[in-house]
């Protein structure tokens, strides 16, 4: 015995498909709203910057997730590129100063060695 005639079955199936399509459209609409929210709040830009920074990093970090966390944890208003440039300048200045220290220590050793035979 059949509970549904052929046309009733078709209508029920069409109704199921319609409900599925509306559900899909609602989910798609929610995704679109969420995407707009992420764009408006700057999340998309921040994630893009951190991923580009990771891509352009000459020495890839062993833990990419830590790199991303560190990059995203930097305080607002701080430009990481400016900090990187400043860090490179300070490293170079440090090397120059270390070279000067080495030269002065060498000169001091020479002067000390020259004075030592005179005292004997």
């Amino acid at each position: 015995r059949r509970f549904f005639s052929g046309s009733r079955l078709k209508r029920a199936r069409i109704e199921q498909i319609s409900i599925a399509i509306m559900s899909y459209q609602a989910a798609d609409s929610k995704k679109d709203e969420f995407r707009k929210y992420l764009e408006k709040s700057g999340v998309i830009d921040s994630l893009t910057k951190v991923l580009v920074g990771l891509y352009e990093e000459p020495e890839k970090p062993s833990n990419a997730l830590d790199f991303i966390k560190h990059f995203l944890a930097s305080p607002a208003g701080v430009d990481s590129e400016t900090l990187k440039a400043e860090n490179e300048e300070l490293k170079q200045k440090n090397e120059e100063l270390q070279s000067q220290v080495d030269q002065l220590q060498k000169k001091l050793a020479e002067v000390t060695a020259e004075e030592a035979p005179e005292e004997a």
Side-chain angles (χ1 to χ4, degrees):
R1 181 171 139 180
R2 293 174 109 182
F3 291 103
F4 294 108
S5 67
S7 63
R8 278 186 161 183
L9 189 58
K10 287 179 185 177
R11 273 188 261 145
R13 185 67 182 134
I14 290 172
E15 190 175 313
Q16 287 176 339
I17 292 171
S18 295
I19 291 170
I21 289 172
M22 287 188 305
S23 174
Y24 177 76
Q25 288 173 340
D28 203 34
S29 175
K30 285 183 180 181
K31 286 180 187 178
D32 197 40
E33 284 180 35
F34 187 65
R35 181 187 52 77
K36 287 178 183 176
Y37 162 74
L38 292 176
E39 285 178 4
K40 186 183 275 187
S41 62
V43 172
I44 301 291
D45 287 340
S46 292
L47 290 175
T48 301
K49 285 179 184 176
V50 71
L51 293 174
V52 168
L54 180 59
Y55 176 78
E56 292 177 345
E57 190 70 27
E59 294 180 28
K60 301 295 183 237
S62 59
N63 189 334
L65 188 56
D66 283 346
F67 176 88
I68 292 170
K69 287 178 183 177
H70 177 73
F71 190 93
L72 292 176
S74 63
V78 175
D79 181 18
S80 62
E81 293 302 317
T82 303
L83 291 176
K84 285 180 183 179
E86 183 181 357
N87 187 32
E88 287 303 315
E89 289 175 22
L90 292 172
K91 283 181 181 178
Q92 187 166 355
K93 182 68 174 175
N94 187 36
E95 288 177 16
E96 292 170 7
L97 291 172
Q98 187 59 52
S99 177
Q100 288 178 3
V101 166
D102 293 343
Q103 290 173 359
L104 291 172
Q105 286 178 337
K106 185 177 177 180
K107 284 183 181 179
L108 179 61
E110 290 172 1
V111 169
T112 305
E114 288 175 5
E115 290 179 1
E118 294 174 9
E119 293 176 2

